[in-house]
Amino acid sequence: MKTRYALSLGKPFGIKVKVHWTFLLLIAWIVIVSMSRGLETPQILMHIVFVLALFVCVVLHELGHSLTAIKFGGNVTGITLLPIGGMAHMTKMPEEPKEEFLVSAAGPLVNIVIAILIWIYLAVFQPVNIQEMEFVAITRENFLVMLMAANIFIVVFNLIPAFPMDGGRLFRAALSIKMSRVQATRVAKDIGQVFAIFFIIAGLFVNPFLVIIGIFILLGAKGEYEMIQYQDALRQFAVEDVLNKDYAELDAEDTLGKAAEELVHISDNGFVVKSDGKYQGILTKNDIINGLNQLGREGKVKEAMSSDIEPVKTDAKLFEVFQDMNKKRNELVPVISKDELKGILDMDNLKELIMIHKAIR
Ligand SMILES: [Zn+2]
């Protein structure tokens, strides 16, 4: 998910916390639902405060994951809050079963601690009688009880043993002790899908929200399994093994008309652009189409090319390169060693490698 339309909230422990703009939709929804129920303004404000408090708990949950991951050498770039929950962006995640287990457990553990702290506070300072309490709306009286219940809900929900929930990762980590990571992911994925189907069927009778969760799990399971397969396939290759030295070239001064004519003759997703034999940038199919639209056939290649694509080093890990290309939607990246262009990496070639690997297995 792109986090461009997000508001920065600060940097606890050096981790950027942002809230996605769709969060405003959640607040709007709460206001609309509260108003349609005929609630007064102070009551509506109370609901908003509750959601904000809940999201503080979600941030703490994600910080739990993030700080544990960092402790094991992982790399966390930030946390984004979405209406459905939080998301920690990790560019490197610990893979040792024990480490993955602890990283996954740390999030729910934070919510358990929060629930216990609220419970102690209530027991000491604000003894409540839950049986006499009303739960139609959130009030000053039941606020903390509701917040405690919500934290317990977060724990239970996240312990469902299915991707993309923490439970899926915990389960995979446990299975990884006995089998390979790919096999463990497949078992976790299959079990997750059983849960998903159960949620979807139950949701049709009980609550449509369960259907959404079911679909969310189906997609999460599939995505995680694919990623692990890619990782397994690409792990065996170095950038040097797969780089394409036989790339198509254009001069920076060539016209886009020429680029368009030559495009049909090449098998790659674009051209390497050089000037006086030196690498200048990449001209992808999209660059050509956009360039033709804006500059016409006489436009220069150098005006339309992408010159800011970060070059890959020959000793880089192929799976990390693949993930990065995926994220930035780069179809083609230059491979550079000692200031010299060694070749290019094409997304299609990487996908072919993965397909062949899958077929052989
Ligand atoms: Zn979590």
Side-chain angles (χ1 to χ4, degrees), residues 65-355:
H65 288 308
S66 305
L67 294 175
T68 318
I70 289 169
K71 188 175 171 316
F72 291 125
N75 192 359
V76 183
T77 50
I79 293 171
T80 305
L81 284 177
L82 299 163
I84 48 161
M87 199 168 64
H89 309 278
M90 303 197 188
T91 48
K92 220 171 96 200
M93 167 96 178
E95 285 171 28
E96 278 295 309
K98 200 181 129 208
E99 292 174 359
E100 184 178 39
F101 191 89
L102 292 174
V103 170
S104 308
L109 213 55
V110 168
N111 299 105
I112 293 175
V113 171
I114 295 173
I116 291 174
L117 289 177
I118 296 177
W119 185 73
I120 293 174
Y121 176 87
L122 287 174
V124 176
F125 296 105
Q126 196 190 320
V128 286
N129 188 340
I130 291 185
Q131 263 126 35
E132 286 173 13
M133 211 170 241
E134 284 194 32
F135 291 103
V136 251
I138 290 159
T139 59
R140 206 183 278 271
E141 286 71 38
N142 70 15
F143 189 93
L144 283 174
V145 177
M146 293 293 257
L147 194 60
M148 181 172 74
N151 271 280
I152 294 169
F153 174 78
I154 292 176
V155 174
V156 172
F157 180 69
N158 268 297
L159 289 183
I160 297 170
F163 297 111
M165 264 77 81
D166 297 330
R169 277 163 220 291
L170 285 169
F171 187 47
R172 182 200 22 222
L175 290 172
S176 298
I177 299 169
K178 288 270 174 215
M179 52 182 95
S180 78
R181 198 169 151 83
V182 179
Q183 279 174 312
T185 307
R186 210 186 69 200
V187 174
K189 177 201 75 152
D190 289 345
I191 292 181
Q193 281 169 341
V194 173
F195 268 95
I197 291 163
F198 171 77
F199 274 119
I200 291 171
I201 294 172
L204 293 176
F205 296 100
V206 186
N207 186 338
F209 189 61
L210 289 175
V211 178
I212 296 173
I213 295 175
I215 294 170
F216 187 59
I217 294 176
L218 274 185
L219 295 176
K222 190 167 162 278
E224 180 70 28
Y225 186 50
E226 270 178 3
M227 250 324 145
I228 287 291
Q229 282 184 313
Y230 294 171
Q231 187 176 19
D232 192 52
L234 296 178
R235 195 196 293 278
Q236 318 167 33
F237 301 99
V239 169
E240 272 177 326
D241 302 334
V242 292
L243 74 87
N244 178 5
K245 292 174 184 159
D246 196 23
Y247 47 82
E249 264 182 62
L250 283 174
D251 191 89
E253 298 296 330
D254 283 338
T255 62
L256 290 170
K258 183 184 174 192
E261 275 162 30
E262 288 195 14
L263 187 61
V264 287
H265 302 299
I266 64 166
S267 56
D268 294 321
N269 273 311
F271 300 90
V272 166
V273 181
K274 289 187 176 174
S275 172
D276 292 331
K278 284 200 79 177
Y279 170 78
Q280 300 293 321
I282 296 281
L283 186 76
T284 65
K285 284 178 194 168
N286 272 337
D287 292 335
I288 295 175
I289 293 164
N290 292 338
L292 284 173
N293 272 331
Q294 286 167 14
L295 308 163
R297 293 184 64 84
E298 294 307 314
K300 291 275 187 339
V301 163
K302 65 177 176 188
E303 295 167 279
M305 69 181 184
S306 316
S307 51
D308 54 350
I309 297 179
E310 212 174 303
V312 170
K313 296 203 178 91
T314 38
D315 58 353
K317 287 215 170 98
L318 200 53
F319 179 64
E320 281 168 24
V321 175
F322 172 76
Q323 269 184 313
D324 199 53
M325 287 174 76
N326 233 341
K327 211 167 87 190
K328 295 178 181 156
R329 291 171 199 272
N330 287 338
E331 290 290 322
L332 217 59
V333 290
V335 180
I336 286 179
S337 169
K338 292 179 193 133
D339 281 342
E340 202 186 318
L341 184 72
K342 295 286 175 196
I344 52 168
L345 275 184
D346 191 316
M347 192 52 144
D348 288 347
N349 291 350
L350 295 184
K351 285 186 179 154
E352 274 163 26
L353 269 185
I354 292 165
M355 263 166 53

